Amino acid sequence: MNTTKKTIKKAAINLFYKKSYFATAMSNIAMNSSIRKASIYYHYDSKEGILFDILMTTMKELTVYVETCLEGIENGENRMRAAVRAHVKFHCDRQKEVLISDSELRGLTANNYKSFVVLRDAYEKKFQDMIIQGMDQGYFAAGDAKVISYAILTMCTAVANWFKPKGRLSGDQISSIYEELVVTRLLKESLPLYSFENSVLEE
Amino acid sequence: MNTTKKTIKKAAINLFYKKSYFATAMSNIAMNSSIRKASIYYHYDSKEGILFDILMTTMKELTVYVETCLEGIENGENRMRAAVRAHVKFHCDRQKEVLISDSELRGLTANNYKSFVVLRDAYEKKFQDMIIQGMDQGYFAAGDAKVISYAILTMCTAVANWFKPKGRLSGDQISSIYEELVVTRLLKESLPLYSFENSVLEE
DNA sequence: GTCTATAGCGAGATAGAC
DNA sequence: GTCTATCTCGCTATAGAC
């Protein structure tokens, strides 16, 4: 992707985040890219094209990032820990893009919407499978796997709603807190007492 | 509020939920209210006036509902349980309005935005205070109270993102699951072993 | 209280010069 | 590849009849 296109995309990310997709005009994007609005159409077919580009690349990069962080980890609990860490970290580092991904899907026409949802569902399924496997094999506490998956994913995703880049805690610190909250508390809490010592010794 | 105004508000809620605030035109609202768009301006000053009405009444009703559900409950843990149940139930029952409240704040001009945020912050502070008190008094496990508050509130709020009115689980069932997830797992998990029996017997 | 008609504006997108 | 100029459309909001 050439420099101008990158500039346009970055300006769009800032504006869609700040004002929302529909409230952002092509002229706004143009002004923030130091270009005339007609020139944008050399790089993108339409306004929706910009949104689609942002959404797809963000979703793909999230998927790749989490996969990279899981590489080489065999143990199921540790994979879950790494996945939560990576998901939360990405949602701190790429706050604007992921918030757009969360709230601007209604800006997509049917086909583009479908393309995006395929990626998102595949991503979410990986988390669900990790949780279900843990429950099946007993290293995570039993529970309604679907609901617990939603609870965990939405909780980790929502970090992007309140994270402040210059706040008290860094993205890494928040990732660590969430790793503990999710895996130690949410997923392992209700192990029966008699197995508690075992589960500690086994790790 | 008269019948016509209620009809307009209800149509707006459906459209803002489905298409977003900015993508909804006054003519859309008019059509779904079986009225001409000019007639809307007899009931509301502006399009933003409709949004503001929806946001404020929803926030106020949420606050009143949760307060009502807490009435007469003294025990701190039980208050937290009731608050989570009520919050989640409301987010199932009033799914459309709360999703608008979550994603359309950028449609408000400065003064209206401030008015809304005052209500929202006051509401969230009640949850935070319950959590902090529980940690101080030791019936909730220690942790970063701020982050845990955010984690809990965003997780419970996000139920509105995936809840399906005709799905497998009712709002009441989901409320129960979340009550357990939040209070038993997230907030009580890491009590040290020696106090575990005590904390069970004391309840 | 609701209507028809329209003002006034800014949007997304295109044409064609350079 | 970027520009100026412009098309066409639909938006929020208002005027004034009934």
Side-chain angles (χ1 to χ4, degrees), chain A residues 147-159 161-162 178 181-182 186, chain B residues 84 87-88 91 147-162 174 177-183 185-186:
Chain A
V147 172
I148 292 175
S149 300
Y150 290 145
I152 289 172
L153 263 174
T154 56
M155 174 174 130
C156 293
T157 297
V159 167
N161 282 305
W162 58 265
Y178 267 66
L181 281 182
V182 169
L186 271 176
Chain B
V84 169
H87 183 93
V88 172
H91 280 69
V147 173
I148 292 175
S149 299
Y150 291 144
I152 288 173
L153 263 173
T154 55
M155 173 174 132
C156 294
T157 296
V159 168
N161 283 305
W162 58 265
I174 294 169
I177 294 174
Y178 268 66
E179 179 192 323
E180 277 304 300
L181 281 182
V182 169
V183 179
R185 299 198 188 197
L186 270 177

mmCIF file of all heavy atoms in Angstrom, chain A residues 147-159 161-162 178 181-182 186, chain B residues 84 87-88 91 147-162 174 177-183 185-186:
data_model
loop_
_atom_site.group_PDB
_atom_site.id
_atom_site.type_symbol
_atom_site.label_atom_id
_atom_site.label_comp_id
_atom_site.label_asym_id
_atom_site.label_seq_id
_atom_site.Cartn_x
_atom_site.Cartn_y
_atom_site.Cartn_z
ATOM 1 N N VAL A 147 -22.175 -19.258 26.931
ATOM 2 C CA VAL A 147 -22.326 -18.001 27.675
ATOM 3 C C VAL A 147 -20.986 -17.545 28.231
ATOM 4 O O VAL A 147 -20.631 -16.360 28.152
ATOM 5 C CB VAL A 147 -23.368 -18.141 28.801
ATOM 6 C CG1 VAL A 147 -23.382 -16.903 29.680
ATOM 7 C CG2 VAL A 147 -24.745 -18.396 28.213
ATOM 8 N N ILE A 148 -20.230 -18.475 28.766
ATOM 9 C CA ILE A 148 -18.927 -18.111 29.328
ATOM 10 C C ILE A 148 -17.986 -17.604 28.231
ATOM 11 O O ILE A 148 -17.232 -16.648 28.442
ATOM 12 C CB ILE A 148 -18.332 -19.306 30.110
ATOM 13 C CG1 ILE A 148 -19.189 -19.553 31.367
ATOM 14 C CG2 ILE A 148 -16.880 -19.060 30.488
ATOM 15 C CD1 ILE A 148 -18.801 -20.755 32.181
ATOM 16 N N SER A 149 -18.077 -18.197 27.052
ATOM 17 C CA SER A 149 -17.275 -17.688 25.929
ATOM 18 C C SER A 149 -17.645 -16.258 25.592
ATOM 19 O O SER A 149 -16.773 -15.398 25.413
ATOM 20 C CB SER A 149 -17.507 -18.548 24.683
ATOM 21 O OG SER A 149 -17.134 -19.869 24.921
ATOM 22 N N TYR A 150 -18.929 -16.000 25.491
ATOM 23 C CA TYR A 150 -19.376 -14.635 25.194
ATOM 24 C C TYR A 150 -18.910 -13.684 26.289
ATOM 25 O O TYR A 150 -18.427 -12.582 26.011
ATOM 26 C CB TYR A 150 -20.908 -14.564 25.110
ATOM 27 C CG TYR A 150 -21.505 -15.259 23.910
ATOM 28 C CD1 TYR A 150 -22.730 -15.905 23.999
ATOM 29 C CD2 TYR A 150 -20.869 -15.248 22.675
ATOM 30 C CE1 TYR A 150 -23.309 -16.534 22.898
ATOM 31 C CE2 TYR A 150 -21.432 -15.879 21.573
ATOM 32 C CZ TYR A 150 -22.655 -16.519 21.691
ATOM 33 O OH TYR A 150 -23.213 -17.141 20.607
ATOM 34 N N ALA A 151 -19.093 -14.111 27.525
ATOM 35 C CA ALA A 151 -18.730 -13.254 28.654
ATOM 36 C C ALA A 151 -17.252 -12.879 28.575
ATOM 37 O O ALA A 151 -16.875 -11.710 28.711
ATOM 38 C CB ALA A 151 -19.041 -13.959 29.972
ATOM 39 N N ILE A 152 -16.426 -13.873 28.314
ATOM 40 C CA ILE A 152 -14.980 -13.635 28.275
ATOM 41 C C ILE A 152 -14.592 -12.753 27.092
ATOM 42 O O ILE A 152 -13.873 -11.758 27.243
ATOM 43 C CB ILE A 152 -14.225 -14.984 28.220
ATOM 44 C CG1 ILE A 152 -14.348 -15.679 29.578
ATOM 45 C CG2 ILE A 152 -12.771 -14.788 27.816
ATOM 46 C CD1 ILE A 152 -13.815 -17.097 29.598
ATOM 47 N N LEU A 153 -15.084 -13.103 25.927
ATOM 48 C CA LEU A 153 -14.683 -12.340 24.743
ATOM 49 C C LEU A 153 -15.167 -10.900 24.805
ATOM 50 O O LEU A 153 -14.416 -9.966 24.488
ATOM 51 C CB LEU A 153 -15.203 -13.022 23.472
ATOM 52 C CG LEU A 153 -14.194 -13.912 22.768
ATOM 53 C CD1 LEU A 153 -14.843 -14.660 21.621
ATOM 54 C CD2 LEU A 153 -13.016 -13.091 22.232
ATOM 55 N N THR A 154 -16.410 -10.701 25.223
ATOM 56 C CA THR A 154 -16.915 -9.326 25.279
ATOM 57 C C THR A 154 -16.174 -8.518 26.343
ATOM 58 O O THR A 154 -15.876 -7.347 26.150
ATOM 59 C CB THR A 154 -18.430 -9.280 25.558
ATOM 60 O OG1 THR A 154 -18.730 -9.990 26.755
ATOM 61 C CG2 THR A 154 -19.209 -9.864 24.402
ATOM 62 N N MET A 155 -15.881 -9.173 27.452
ATOM 63 C CA MET A 155 -15.147 -8.485 28.514
ATOM 64 C C MET A 155 -13.757 -8.045 28.041
ATOM 65 O O MET A 155 -13.324 -6.909 28.292
ATOM 66 C CB MET A 155 -15.028 -9.447 29.693
ATOM 67 C CG MET A 155 -14.200 -9.000 30.849
ATOM 68 S SD MET A 155 -14.359 -10.241 32.177
ATOM 69 C CE MET A 155 -12.627 -10.495 32.548
ATOM 70 N N CYS A 156 -13.088 -8.933 27.336
ATOM 71 C CA CYS A 156 -11.735 -8.615 26.863
ATOM 72 C C CYS A 156 -11.767 -7.591 25.733
ATOM 73 O O CYS A 156 -10.877 -6.743 25.620
ATOM 74 C CB CYS A 156 -11.035 -9.881 26.387
ATOM 75 S SG CYS A 156 -10.693 -11.041 27.718
ATOM 76 N N THR A 157 -12.774 -7.674 24.904
ATOM 77 C CA THR A 157 -12.911 -6.729 23.805
ATOM 78 C C THR A 157 -13.200 -5.324 24.322
ATOM 79 O O THR A 157 -12.705 -4.324 23.793
ATOM 80 C CB THR A 157 -14.031 -7.186 22.854
ATOM 81 O OG1 THR A 157 -13.659 -8.443 22.294
ATOM 82 C CG2 THR A 157 -14.269 -6.174 21.747
ATOM 83 N N ALA A 158 -14.014 -5.258 25.381
ATOM 84 C CA ALA A 158 -14.447 -3.963 25.910
ATOM 85 C C ALA A 158 -13.314 -3.178 26.559
ATOM 86 O O ALA A 158 -13.481 -2.003 26.891
ATOM 87 C CB ALA A 158 -15.586 -4.148 26.893
ATOM 88 N N VAL A 159 -12.164 -3.800 26.730
ATOM 89 C CA VAL A 159 -11.017 -3.053 27.245
ATOM 90 C C VAL A 159 -10.767 -1.826 26.359
ATOM 91 O O VAL A 159 -10.408 -0.757 26.850
ATOM 92 C CB VAL A 159 -9.762 -3.952 27.300
ATOM 93 C CG1 VAL A 159 -8.520 -3.129 27.532
ATOM 94 C CG2 VAL A 159 -9.919 -4.992 28.401
ATOM 95 N N ASN A 161 -12.820 0.058 25.197
ATOM 96 C CA ASN A 161 -13.746 1.136 25.553
ATOM 97 C C ASN A 161 -13.231 2.045 26.667
ATOM 98 O O ASN A 161 -13.645 3.191 26.761
ATOM 99 C CB ASN A 161 -15.097 0.555 25.988
ATOM 100 C CG ASN A 161 -15.937 0.108 24.813
ATOM 101 O OD1 ASN A 161 -16.198 0.877 23.907
ATOM 102 N ND2 ASN A 161 -16.328 -1.160 24.820
ATOM 103 N N TRP A 162 -12.396 1.493 27.518
ATOM 104 C CA TRP A 162 -11.985 2.315 28.671
ATOM 105 C C TRP A 162 -10.472 2.512 28.770
ATOM 106 O O TRP A 162 -10.009 3.337 29.550
ATOM 107 C CB TRP A 162 -12.533 1.732 29.982
ATOM 108 C CG TRP A 162 -12.115 0.320 30.279
ATOM 109 C CD1 TRP A 162 -12.814 -0.815 29.985
ATOM 110 C CD2 TRP A 162 -10.912 -0.106 30.933
ATOM 111 N NE1 TRP A 162 -12.118 -1.927 30.404
ATOM 112 C CE2 TRP A 162 -10.950 -1.525 30.994
ATOM 113 C CE3 TRP A 162 -9.806 0.560 31.474
ATOM 114 C CZ2 TRP A 162 -9.928 -2.273 31.572
ATOM 115 C CZ3 TRP A 162 -8.783 -0.191 32.045
ATOM 116 C CH2 TRP A 162 -8.859 -1.591 32.087
ATOM 117 N N TYR A 178 -6.126 -9.151 33.184
ATOM 118 C CA TYR A 178 -7.208 -9.876 32.512
ATOM 119 C C TYR A 178 -6.885 -11.367 32.368
ATOM 120 O O TYR A 178 -7.769 -12.206 32.477
ATOM 121 C CB TYR A 178 -7.511 -9.245 31.147
ATOM 122 C CG TYR A 178 -8.610 -8.211 31.238
ATOM 123 C CD1 TYR A 178 -8.424 -7.037 31.953
ATOM 124 C CD2 TYR A 178 -9.859 -8.402 30.648
ATOM 125 C CE1 TYR A 178 -9.426 -6.090 32.061
ATOM 126 C CE2 TYR A 178 -10.870 -7.462 30.754
ATOM 127 C CZ TYR A 178 -10.645 -6.304 31.461
ATOM 128 O OH TYR A 178 -11.660 -5.376 31.569
ATOM 129 N N LEU A 181 -7.813 -12.698 35.672
ATOM 130 C CA LEU A 181 -9.264 -12.657 35.874
ATOM 131 C C LEU A 181 -9.962 -13.755 35.082
ATOM 132 O O LEU A 181 -10.819 -14.473 35.600
ATOM 133 C CB LEU A 181 -9.830 -11.300 35.426
ATOM 134 C CG LEU A 181 -9.670 -10.113 36.363
ATOM 135 C CD1 LEU A 181 -10.327 -8.882 35.753
ATOM 136 C CD2 LEU A 181 -10.294 -10.409 37.724
ATOM 137 N N VAL A 182 -9.574 -13.871 33.834
ATOM 138 C CA VAL A 182 -10.276 -14.799 32.956
ATOM 139 C C VAL A 182 -9.925 -16.242 33.289
ATOM 140 O O VAL A 182 -10.805 -17.076 33.525
ATOM 141 C CB VAL A 182 -9.965 -14.494 31.476
ATOM 142 C CG1 VAL A 182 -10.469 -15.614 30.580
ATOM 143 C CG2 VAL A 182 -10.594 -13.174 31.070
ATOM 144 N N LEU A 186 -12.397 -16.820 36.347
ATOM 145 C CA LEU A 186 -13.603 -17.224 35.629
ATOM 146 C C LEU A 186 -13.588 -18.690 35.224
ATOM 147 O O LEU A 186 -14.592 -19.380 35.335
ATOM 148 C CB LEU A 186 -13.770 -16.375 34.362
ATOM 149 C CG LEU A 186 -14.561 -15.083 34.523
ATOM 150 C CD1 LEU A 186 -14.558 -14.303 33.222
ATOM 151 C CD2 LEU A 186 -15.997 -15.388 34.934
ATOM 152 N N VAL B 84 -26.027 -7.150 39.815
ATOM 153 C CA VAL B 84 -25.625 -7.808 38.565
ATOM 154 C C VAL B 84 -26.853 -8.388 37.866
ATOM 155 O O VAL B 84 -27.054 -8.193 36.661
ATOM 156 C CB VAL B 84 -24.587 -8.914 38.835
ATOM 157 C CG1 VAL B 84 -24.375 -9.771 37.597
ATOM 158 C CG2 VAL B 84 -23.275 -8.289 39.277
ATOM 159 N N HIS B 87 -28.877 -5.510 36.390
ATOM 160 C CA HIS B 87 -28.189 -4.886 35.248
ATOM 161 C C HIS B 87 -28.305 -5.775 34.010
ATOM 162 O O HIS B 87 -28.654 -5.306 32.923
ATOM 163 C CB HIS B 87 -26.724 -4.639 35.605
ATOM 164 C CG HIS B 87 -25.944 -3.937 34.531
ATOM 165 N ND1 HIS B 87 -25.778 -2.576 34.486
ATOM 166 C CD2 HIS B 87 -25.291 -4.416 33.436
ATOM 167 C CE1 HIS B 87 -25.053 -2.247 33.427
ATOM 168 N NE2 HIS B 87 -24.741 -3.348 32.782
ATOM 169 N N VAL B 88 -28.027 -7.042 34.177
ATOM 170 C CA VAL B 88 -28.073 -7.958 33.035
ATOM 171 C C VAL B 88 -29.508 -8.102 32.527
ATOM 172 O O VAL B 88 -29.753 -8.071 31.310
ATOM 173 C CB VAL B 88 -27.483 -9.336 33.419
ATOM 174 C CG1 VAL B 88 -27.696 -10.345 32.303
ATOM 175 C CG2 VAL B 88 -25.995 -9.194 33.722
ATOM 176 N N HIS B 91 -30.470 -5.217 30.493
ATOM 177 C CA HIS B 91 -29.782 -5.189 29.202
ATOM 178 C C HIS B 91 -30.316 -6.243 28.234
ATOM 179 O O HIS B 91 -30.069 -6.158 27.028
ATOM 180 C CB HIS B 91 -28.271 -5.323 29.391
ATOM 181 C CG HIS B 91 -27.634 -4.020 29.779
ATOM 182 N ND1 HIS B 91 -27.845 -3.430 31.011
ATOM 183 C CD2 HIS B 91 -26.840 -3.162 29.077
ATOM 184 C CE1 HIS B 91 -27.178 -2.279 31.054
ATOM 185 N NE2 HIS B 91 -26.561 -2.098 29.904
ATOM 186 N N VAL B 147 -9.986 -1.821 37.681
ATOM 187 C CA VAL B 147 -9.997 -2.692 36.499
ATOM 188 C C VAL B 147 -11.087 -3.750 36.624
ATOM 189 O O VAL B 147 -11.810 -4.034 35.660
ATOM 190 C CB VAL B 147 -8.615 -3.350 36.302
ATOM 191 C CG1 VAL B 147 -8.679 -4.391 35.189
ATOM 192 C CG2 VAL B 147 -7.571 -2.294 35.974
ATOM 193 N N ILE B 148 -11.225 -4.314 37.810
ATOM 194 C CA ILE B 148 -12.243 -5.347 38.005
ATOM 195 C C ILE B 148 -13.644 -4.753 37.841
ATOM 196 O O ILE B 148 -14.535 -5.386 37.259
ATOM 197 C CB ILE B 148 -12.052 -6.029 39.376
ATOM 198 C CG1 ILE B 148 -10.752 -6.848 39.347
ATOM 199 C CG2 ILE B 148 -13.234 -6.907 39.731
ATOM 200 C CD1 ILE B 148 -10.373 -7.490 40.660
ATOM 201 N N SER B 149 -13.828 -3.540 38.289
ATOM 202 C CA SER B 149 -15.120 -2.867 38.076
ATOM 203 C C SER B 149 -15.415 -2.709 36.591
ATOM 204 O O SER B 149 -16.523 -2.998 36.130
ATOM 205 C CB SER B 149 -15.112 -1.481 38.711
ATOM 206 O OG SER B 149 -14.908 -1.558 40.084
ATOM 207 N N TYR B 150 -14.419 -2.221 35.849
ATOM 208 C CA TYR B 150 -14.608 -2.075 34.407
ATOM 209 C C TYR B 150 -14.912 -3.425 33.768
ATOM 210 O O TYR B 150 -15.809 -3.548 32.939
ATOM 211 C CB TYR B 150 -13.352 -1.485 33.753
ATOM 212 C CG TYR B 150 -13.070 -0.049 34.103
ATOM 213 C CD1 TYR B 150 -11.765 0.407 34.251
ATOM 214 C CD2 TYR B 150 -14.098 0.873 34.254
ATOM 215 C CE1 TYR B 150 -11.489 1.737 34.545
ATOM 216 C CE2 TYR B 150 -13.833 2.203 34.555
ATOM 217 C CZ TYR B 150 -12.522 2.626 34.704
ATOM 218 O OH TYR B 150 -12.256 3.931 34.988
ATOM 219 N N ALA B 151 -14.131 -4.415 34.168
ATOM 220 C CA ALA B 151 -14.303 -5.745 33.584
ATOM 221 C C ALA B 151 -15.726 -6.238 33.802
ATOM 222 O O ALA B 151 -16.387 -6.731 32.885
ATOM 223 C CB ALA B 151 -13.287 -6.719 34.180
ATOM 224 N N ILE B 152 -16.203 -6.087 35.028
ATOM 225 C CA ILE B 152 -17.541 -6.590 35.363
ATOM 226 C C ILE B 152 -18.626 -5.799 34.631
ATOM 227 O O ILE B 152 -19.523 -6.374 34.008
ATOM 228 C CB ILE B 152 -17.755 -6.524 36.887
ATOM 229 C CG1 ILE B 152 -16.899 -7.606 37.554
ATOM 230 C CG2 ILE B 152 -19.227 -6.688 37.252
ATOM 231 C CD1 ILE B 152 -16.882 -7.534 39.066
ATOM 232 N N LEU B 153 -18.534 -4.486 34.699
ATOM 233 C CA LEU B 153 -19.597 -3.680 34.090
ATOM 234 C C LEU B 153 -19.642 -3.864 32.567
ATOM 235 O O LEU B 153 -20.714 -4.005 31.984
ATOM 236 C CB LEU B 153 -19.413 -2.210 34.433
ATOM 237 C CG LEU B 153 -20.260 -1.729 35.615
ATOM 238 C CD1 LEU B 153 -19.892 -0.302 35.982
ATOM 239 C CD2 LEU B 153 -21.754 -1.801 35.295
ATOM 240 N N THR B 154 -18.480 -3.866 31.933
ATOM 241 C CA THR B 154 -18.492 -4.017 30.476
ATOM 242 C C THR B 154 -18.978 -5.410 30.077
ATOM 243 O O THR B 154 -19.710 -5.558 29.108
ATOM 244 C CB THR B 154 -17.090 -3.770 29.868
ATOM 245 O OG1 THR B 154 -16.135 -4.621 30.485
ATOM 246 C CG2 THR B 154 -16.670 -2.323 30.043
ATOM 247 N N MET B 155 -18.595 -6.403 30.849
ATOM 248 C CA MET B 155 -19.039 -7.766 30.563
ATOM 249 C C MET B 155 -20.558 -7.874 30.666
ATOM 250 O O MET B 155 -21.209 -8.476 29.809
ATOM 251 C CB MET B 155 -18.359 -8.697 31.565
ATOM 252 C CG MET B 155 -18.797 -10.126 31.542
ATOM 253 S SD MET B 155 -17.732 -11.078 32.679
ATOM 254 C CE MET B 155 -18.979 -11.990 33.576
ATOM 255 N N CYS B 156 -21.122 -7.286 31.703
ATOM 256 C CA CYS B 156 -22.572 -7.367 31.912
ATOM 257 C C CYS B 156 -23.322 -6.514 30.890
ATOM 258 O O CYS B 156 -24.411 -6.880 30.444
ATOM 259 C CB CYS B 156 -22.935 -6.915 33.323
ATOM 260 S SG CYS B 156 -22.312 -8.025 34.596
ATOM 261 N N THR B 157 -22.741 -5.396 30.522
ATOM 262 C CA THR B 157 -23.374 -4.520 29.538
ATOM 263 C C THR B 157 -23.389 -5.178 28.164
ATOM 264 O O THR B 157 -24.354 -5.057 27.414
ATOM 265 C CB THR B 157 -22.625 -3.179 29.475
ATOM 266 O OG1 THR B 157 -22.754 -2.540 30.748
ATOM 267 C CG2 THR B 157 -23.188 -2.278 28.395
ATOM 268 N N ALA B 158 -22.307 -5.892 27.867
ATOM 269 C CA ALA B 158 -22.167 -6.483 26.533
ATOM 270 C C ALA B 158 -23.142 -7.617 26.282
ATOM 271 O O ALA B 158 -23.267 -8.088 25.150
ATOM 272 C CB ALA B 158 -20.740 -6.969 26.326
ATOM 273 N N VAL B 159 -23.855 -8.038 27.313
ATOM 274 C CA VAL B 159 -24.900 -9.045 27.093
ATOM 275 C C VAL B 159 -25.867 -8.562 26.016
ATOM 276 O O VAL B 159 -26.345 -9.346 25.194
ATOM 277 C CB VAL B 159 -25.657 -9.345 28.402
ATOM 278 C CG1 VAL B 159 -26.917 -10.157 28.130
ATOM 279 C CG2 VAL B 159 -24.755 -10.104 29.360
ATOM 280 N N ALA B 160 -26.095 -7.251 25.986
ATOM 281 C CA ALA B 160 -26.994 -6.679 24.980
ATOM 282 C C ALA B 160 -26.481 -6.908 23.563
ATOM 283 O O ALA B 160 -27.244 -6.864 22.606
ATOM 284 C CB ALA B 160 -27.194 -5.190 25.231
ATOM 285 N N ASN B 161 -25.189 -7.171 23.430
ATOM 286 C CA ASN B 161 -24.622 -7.392 22.100
ATOM 287 C C ASN B 161 -24.931 -8.763 21.524
ATOM 288 O O ASN B 161 -24.933 -8.939 20.319
ATOM 289 C CB ASN B 161 -23.097 -7.221 22.128
ATOM 290 C CG ASN B 161 -22.691 -5.761 22.167
ATOM 291 O OD1 ASN B 161 -23.091 -4.992 21.310
ATOM 292 N ND2 ASN B 161 -21.925 -5.388 23.172
ATOM 293 N N TRP B 162 -25.134 -9.731 22.394
ATOM 294 C CA TRP B 162 -25.321 -11.087 21.856
ATOM 295 C C TRP B 162 -26.651 -11.729 22.260
ATOM 296 O O TRP B 162 -27.021 -12.779 21.716
ATOM 297 C CB TRP B 162 -24.155 -11.999 22.260
ATOM 298 C CG TRP B 162 -23.923 -12.137 23.734
ATOM 299 C CD1 TRP B 162 -23.048 -11.413 24.495
ATOM 300 C CD2 TRP B 162 -24.563 -13.058 24.636
ATOM 301 N NE1 TRP B 162 -23.101 -11.814 25.803
ATOM 302 C CE2 TRP B 162 -24.012 -12.827 25.923
ATOM 303 C CE3 TRP B 162 -25.514 -14.054 24.477
ATOM 304 C CZ2 TRP B 162 -24.403 -13.543 27.050
ATOM 305 C CZ3 TRP B 162 -25.916 -14.775 25.602
ATOM 306 C CH2 TRP B 162 -25.357 -14.517 26.864
ATOM 307 N N ILE B 174 -29.932 -15.984 31.835
ATOM 308 C CA ILE B 174 -28.628 -15.355 31.622
ATOM 309 C C ILE B 174 -28.230 -14.524 32.842
ATOM 310 O O ILE B 174 -27.074 -14.527 33.275
ATOM 311 C CB ILE B 174 -28.642 -14.497 30.339
ATOM 312 C CG1 ILE B 174 -28.818 -15.422 29.131
ATOM 313 C CG2 ILE B 174 -27.365 -13.681 30.200
ATOM 314 C CD1 ILE B 174 -29.118 -14.694 27.837
ATOM 315 N N ILE B 177 -26.778 -16.844 35.382
ATOM 316 C CA ILE B 177 -25.428 -17.297 35.038
ATOM 317 C C ILE B 177 -24.420 -16.177 35.317
ATOM 318 O O ILE B 177 -23.365 -16.415 35.909
ATOM 319 C CB ILE B 177 -25.360 -17.730 33.557
ATOM 320 C CG1 ILE B 177 -26.235 -18.970 33.326
ATOM 321 C CG2 ILE B 177 -23.916 -18.006 33.147
ATOM 322 C CD1 ILE B 177 -26.348 -19.383 31.863
ATOM 323 N N TYR B 178 -24.758 -14.976 34.925
ATOM 324 C CA TYR B 178 -23.848 -13.852 35.145
ATOM 325 C C TYR B 178 -23.676 -13.540 36.631
ATOM 326 O O TYR B 178 -22.586 -13.171 37.071
ATOM 327 C CB TYR B 178 -24.319 -12.619 34.359
ATOM 328 C CG TYR B 178 -23.692 -12.527 32.988
ATOM 329 C CD1 TYR B 178 -23.977 -13.481 32.018
ATOM 330 C CD2 TYR B 178 -22.785 -11.523 32.661
ATOM 331 C CE1 TYR B 178 -23.396 -13.421 30.767
ATOM 332 C CE2 TYR B 178 -22.200 -11.458 31.403
ATOM 333 C CZ TYR B 178 -22.504 -12.404 30.456
ATOM 334 O OH TYR B 178 -21.910 -12.347 29.222
ATOM 335 N N GLU B 179 -24.747 -13.651 37.379
ATOM 336 C CA GLU B 179 -24.634 -13.435 38.828
ATOM 337 C C GLU B 179 -23.575 -14.366 39.411
ATOM 338 O O GLU B 179 -22.702 -13.935 40.169
ATOM 339 C CB GLU B 179 -25.996 -13.696 39.489
ATOM 340 C CG GLU B 179 -25.984 -13.526 40.995
ATOM 341 C CD GLU B 179 -27.255 -14.074 41.638
ATOM 342 O OE1 GLU B 179 -28.346 -13.941 41.044
ATOM 343 O OE2 GLU B 179 -27.144 -14.654 42.736
ATOM 344 N N GLU B 180 -23.636 -15.624 39.009
ATOM 345 C CA GLU B 180 -22.654 -16.584 39.495
ATOM 346 C C GLU B 180 -21.256 -16.267 38.981
ATOM 347 O O GLU B 180 -20.279 -16.255 39.733
ATOM 348 C CB GLU B 180 -23.045 -18.003 39.057
ATOM 349 C CG GLU B 180 -24.060 -18.664 39.956
ATOM 350 C CD GLU B 180 -23.589 -18.718 41.406
ATOM 351 O OE1 GLU B 180 -22.541 -19.327 41.695
ATOM 352 O OE2 GLU B 180 -24.310 -18.122 42.247
ATOM 353 N N LEU B 181 -21.158 -16.001 37.687
ATOM 354 C CA LEU B 181 -19.850 -15.706 37.090
ATOM 355 C C LEU B 181 -19.185 -14.527 37.783
ATOM 356 O O LEU B 181 -18.011 -14.579 38.147
ATOM 357 C CB LEU B 181 -20.006 -15.367 35.594
ATOM 358 C CG LEU B 181 -20.187 -16.513 34.611
ATOM 359 C CD1 LEU B 181 -20.261 -15.962 33.189
ATOM 360 C CD2 LEU B 181 -19.025 -17.501 34.722
ATOM 361 N N VAL B 182 -19.973 -13.481 37.974
ATOM 362 C CA VAL B 182 -19.389 -12.258 38.507
ATOM 363 C C VAL B 182 -19.090 -12.390 39.994
ATOM 364 O O VAL B 182 -17.959 -12.161 40.435
ATOM 365 C CB VAL B 182 -20.327 -11.060 38.265
ATOM 366 C CG1 VAL B 182 -19.862 -9.844 39.054
ATOM 367 C CG2 VAL B 182 -20.395 -10.735 36.782
ATOM 368 N N VAL B 183 -20.088 -12.778 40.768
ATOM 369 C CA VAL B 183 -19.890 -12.740 42.212
ATOM 370 C C VAL B 183 -19.106 -13.944 42.714
ATOM 371 O O VAL B 183 -18.095 -13.794 43.402
ATOM 372 C CB VAL B 183 -21.241 -12.603 42.952
ATOM 373 C CG1 VAL B 183 -21.016 -12.585 44.451
ATOM 374 C CG2 VAL B 183 -21.950 -11.330 42.507
ATOM 375 N N ARG B 185 -17.360 -16.302 40.979
ATOM 376 C CA ARG B 185 -16.058 -16.558 40.368
ATOM 377 C C ARG B 185 -15.154 -15.327 40.392
ATOM 378 O O ARG B 185 -14.091 -15.326 40.990
ATOM 379 C CB ARG B 185 -16.239 -17.035 38.918
ATOM 380 C CG ARG B 185 -17.028 -18.342 38.834
ATOM 381 C CD ARG B 185 -16.808 -18.987 37.497
ATOM 382 N NE ARG B 185 -17.684 -20.140 37.315
ATOM 383 C CZ ARG B 185 -17.502 -21.085 36.413
ATOM 384 N NH1 ARG B 185 -16.482 -21.028 35.582
ATOM 385 N NH2 ARG B 185 -18.332 -22.097 36.295
ATOM 386 N N LEU B 186 -15.596 -14.277 39.733
ATOM 387 C CA LEU B 186 -14.693 -13.121 39.591
ATOM 388 C C LEU B 186 -14.360 -12.471 40.931
ATOM 389 O O LEU B 186 -13.225 -12.088 41.186
ATOM 390 C CB LEU B 186 -15.330 -12.074 38.679
ATOM 391 C CG LEU B 186 -15.027 -12.217 37.198
ATOM 392 C CD1 LEU B 186 -15.790 -11.167 36.403
ATOM 393 C CD2 LEU B 186 -13.533 -12.064 36.943
#
